[in-house]
Amino acid sequence: QKEVEQNSGPLSVPEGAIASLNCTYSDRGSQSFFWYRQYSGKSPELIMFIYSNGDKEDGRFTAQLNKASQYVSLLIRDSQPSDSATYLCAVAGSNTGKLIFGQGTTLQVKP
Amino acid sequence: GAVVSQHPSWVICKSGTSVKIECRSLDFQATTMFWYRQFPKQSLMLMATSNEGSKATYEQGVEKDKFLINHASLTLSTLTVTSAHPEDSSFYICSAQGGASYEQYFGPGTRLTVT
């Protein structure tokens, strides 16, 4: 079992819709969770982090964390073509500062 | 805030030569820096973790004598690819982490091509 799992996609949504990206992790001791966006040929960019159960909103982005289910998600409201990218879920190891990355989900927002 | 720079952004070198890549945190002190490699259409692969003033910790399967890492200050880490071969051609990305939180901020990456 992979430590951090994401559906590779591609996830295709129409412009203006809500995109829902999901991630599960195996280490129950994990405390810190991150979403990065990576455009093709570029390096990852941190867009959200969440430490507590529940929802965290930042503009069009909402991160959701459920530690009991070992599940973290990212919602993108009013999706734009510029949101088309690969979204990487990352989890900090319970005993180290290293981030464990999922394989990423490719999002395509169609005009 | 949280800006990380990398230099050079791309480099082409001949097989057998060495290449040095610099990673700098511009507006914060990075207690820990990480070096990743990414092949096309693949996820990030962590190569090593470096803390200022101490030896880097390499991930399993990464040759420490080939990928030399120096973290001389809280704002600068360098990766030297020694005796580069075409199979070392990849996208090398550093990230920096500071303070008590685990957020990592990535540099723009260095694309290395070995001919």
Side-chain angles (χ1 to χ4, degrees), chain A residues 32 34 36 38 41-46 49 51 88 92-94 96-99 101-104, chain B residues 6 34 36 38 41-44 46 49 59 91 93 97 101-109 111:
Chain A
S32 308
F34 306 87
Y36 287 84
Q38 186 174 25
K42 303 294 185 182
S43 67
E45 172 192 8
L46 179 65
F49 58 86
Y51 301 147
L88 300 169
S94 51
T96 126
K98 294 193 295 188
L99 295 185
F101 284 87
Q103 285 293 106
Chain B
Q6 256 183 269
F34 302 85
Y36 296 84
Q38 188 174 38
K41 299 199 183 298
Q42 293 188 23
S43 192
L44 297 167
L46 179 65
T49 302
E59 295 299 301
F91 190 39
I93 316 171
Q97 186 181 71
S101 64
Y102 287 144
E103 295 106 85
Q104 289 184 26
Y105 296 91
F106 285 85
R111 199 162 299 280

Side-chain angles (χ1 to χ4, degrees), chain A:
Chain A
Q1 182 189 3
K2 291 181 183 175
E3 294 182 75
V4 178
E5 291 205 49
Q6 295 180 256
N7 187 322
S8 61
L11 172 66
S12 183
V13 301
E15 184 175 355
I18 296 175
S20 178
L21 305 161
N22 305 313
C23 172
T24 58
Y25 59 95
S26 60
D27 184 353
R28 282 200 169 273
S30 300
Q31 298 293 326
S32 308
F33 308 86
F34 306 87
W35 283 99
Y36 287 84
R37 176 175 63 198
Q38 186 174 25
Y39 292 111
S40 181
K42 303 294 185 182
S43 67
E45 172 192 8
L46 179 65
I47 53 173
M48 289 285 288
F49 58 86
I50 185 166
Y51 301 147
S52 305
N53 275 328
D55 295 0
K56 178 181 178 182
E57 187 174 317
D58 184 0
R60 296 187 296 114
F61 299 98
T62 299
Q64 299 175 317
L65 174 62
N66 183 325
K67 290 184 181 179
S69 299
Q70 295 174 245
Y71 175 92
V72 59
S73 65
L74 179 70
L75 300 178
I76 306 174
R77 289 181 299 282
D78 188 24
S79 296
Q80 301 296 309
S82 58
D83 294 326
S84 298
T86 296
Y87 290 80
L88 300 169
C89 172
V91 177
S94 51
N95 296 317
T96 126
K98 294 193 295 188
L99 295 185
I100 311 299
F101 284 87
Q103 285 293 106
T105 298
T106 299
L107 172 67
Q108 296 174 347
V109 180
K110 299 195 172 178

